[in-house]
Amino acid sequence: MKRSLPPKAERHRHFGTVDPIIGTKPTDKEKMPDLQNKPADFYFPIQQVGISDVKYPVMIESELAPTTQTTTATFALTTSLDQDFKGINMSRLTEQLHLFFQSHLLTDQTLREFTAILAREMKQKAAHVRVTFPWFFTKTSPAMQKEGMAHANITYDVTFDEDKGYTSVITLTGAVTTLCPCSKEISEYSAHNQRSFVTMTVTVDERYEADWKAILLEAAESNASSILYPVLKRPDEKSVTERAYENPRFVEDLVRLVAADLYENEAVRSFEVQCRNEESIHQHDAIAKLSFSK
């Protein structure tokens, strides 16, 4: 038999809901005190203050198909804070994020524009935006030409400073295959290989407009033993296996070869290359890191 329950409002009261009190503090925004903008000596300036782990959908462009795509980006938005102000109005950060990316693609250039807007709207001298997102691109298998979707992780770090201008740092982490040269050399047949994760962080000259996602991915994939593919049939597997055997790479080899590509790129001011091999015959990983400033 169906039970008769009391009305919803009564049910809420039964579980603890009470009537709102009659308050004494102002409800009009203009009459509310603004503690953050209260001028005084607060001892130290702050280089970065703001919010992080803000997820927001963005549109990006790519040289690789799909050339336009929507992805979910994670933002950190900060500004400087002068010594004579207690804090910033943090709600303005998400407000500006929404206003800007409703009508702009996410690119290195638009991020510089957005970072300057943050500094201006917050009435500060400097601002910093860090945004991380997965970037998807079509991969075609080497023999059977079967298409699938691969991805890499991208991070933009853009800083605006009234006195120093802009700094743009771009990071890509992508996965490739490496085959062990030592294993190939000492074994009668076969050689062990592993999935390797290459992370490149580059400081770029903002005068050069380029799709840095595609440039960094090419640097990782073209120097590896083999590319990873989302779809492989038997002829493809044969091709990938043989390509890896023909191009053995130590973790040290890979970071040096990637560094050579970045060194030759005139738009790159400095770079750091890291590689981590998930070893197939060990419980540990093999790692290498190389940095260089021009």
Side-chain angles (χ1 to χ4, degrees):
M1 181 177 176
K2 187 175 181 180
R3 183 179 177 183
S4 178
L5 297 175
K8 193 168 187 175
E10 187 176 336
R11 298 200 299 267
H12 285 186
R13 287 182 178 278
H14 183 69
F15 282 90
T17 298
V18 298
D19 293 331
I21 65 170
I22 300 175
T24 59
K25 294 185 178 181
T27 56
D28 294 336
K29 181 176 182 291
E30 293 73 19
K31 297 178 181 179
M32 294 178 179
D34 189 352
L35 297 180
Q36 299 294 68
N37 281 324
K38 181 180 178 181
D41 184 355
F42 292 103
Y43 309 148
F44 298 99
I46 298 177
Q47 284 71 48
Q48 290 188 10
V49 57
I51 57 178
S52 64
D53 200 26
V54 182
K55 290 182 170 54
Y56 197 85
V58 294
M59 292 285 292
I60 64 172
E61 288 185 331
S62 169
E63 286 186 1
L64 307 180
T67 55
T68 303
Q69 59 187 266
T70 301
T71 188
T72 301
T74 302
F75 285 86
L77 311 171
T78 61
T79 70
S80 59
L81 182 63
D82 292 338
Q83 179 176 330
D84 53 354
F85 282 92
K86 186 175 181 64
I88 64 170
N89 291 311
M90 292 193 184
S91 63
R92 292 181 185 174
L93 296 172
T94 48
E95 180 183 20
Q96 292 303 317
L97 176 68
H98 182 66
L99 288 173
F100 189 83
F101 285 107
Q102 284 288 297
S103 58
H104 290 78
L105 291 166
L106 175 63
T107 67
D108 187 38
Q109 183 177 8
T110 59
L111 278 173
R112 292 196 293 270
E113 181 182 349
F114 176 59
T115 307
I117 288 173
L118 287 186
R120 182 180 70 240
E121 291 296 322
M122 305 299 282
K123 298 179 173 58
Q124 299 298 327
K125 296 179 180 178
H128 177 258
V129 175
R130 179 182 176 90
V131 55
T132 300
F133 57 90
W135 164 50
F136 293 89
F137 45 90
T138 301
K139 278 290 179 192
T140 304
S141 66
M144 299 297 291
Q145 302 296 293
K146 296 291 184 179
E147 284 191 354
M149 197 70 73
H151 74 278
N153 291 322
I154 307 293
T155 298
Y156 289 119
D157 278 287
V158 180
T159 301
F160 169 76
D161 186 282
E162 280 186 358
D163 300 323
K164 300 177 183 178
Y166 296 97
T167 301
S168 296
V169 180
I170 302 165
T171 300
L172 178 143
T173 298
V176 296
T177 292
T178 52
L179 182 135
C180 178
C182 184
S183 177
K184 177 181 177 180
E185 182 69 21
I186 64 177
S187 301
E188 295 293 343
Y189 41 85
S190 188
H192 80 87
N193 58 20
Q194 51 270 322
R195 186 183 302 170
S196 303
F197 294 90
V198 182
T199 300
M200 294 150 286
T201 299
V202 297
T203 302
V204 300
D205 189 327
E206 63 273 8
R207 295 173 298 178
Y208 292 82
E209 294 298 330
D211 185 359
W212 287 101
K213 303 184 299 300
I215 291 171
L216 295 180
L217 181 68
E218 167 68 13
E221 291 187 338
S222 64
N223 290 297
S225 297
S226 178
I227 297 172
L228 296 182
Y229 296 92
V231 181
L232 291 175
K233 300 298 184 180
R234 280 173 294 171
D236 299 307
E237 186 173 353
K238 171 180 168 64
S239 175
V240 168
T241 303
E242 291 175 350
R243 174 185 167 85
Y245 197 78
E246 293 163 356
N247 295 277
R249 299 283 188 266
F250 286 124
V251 68
E252 300 94 329
D253 301 331
L254 188 51
V255 293
R256 284 171 168 148
L257 288 170
V258 172
D261 282 10
L262 300 179
Y263 178 81
E264 290 180 335
N265 191 313
E266 293 182 356
V268 175
R269 293 178 175 175
S270 62
F271 58 82
E272 180 179 277
V273 183
Q274 300 183 58
C275 183
R276 178 176 63 87
N277 287 356
E278 293 185 340
E279 293 289 294
S280 61
I281 61 171
H282 303 290
Q283 287 189 320
H284 57 258
D285 295 344
I287 59 172
K289 182 166 70 172
L290 181 160
S291 60
F292 189 87
S293 178
K294 299 179 184 179

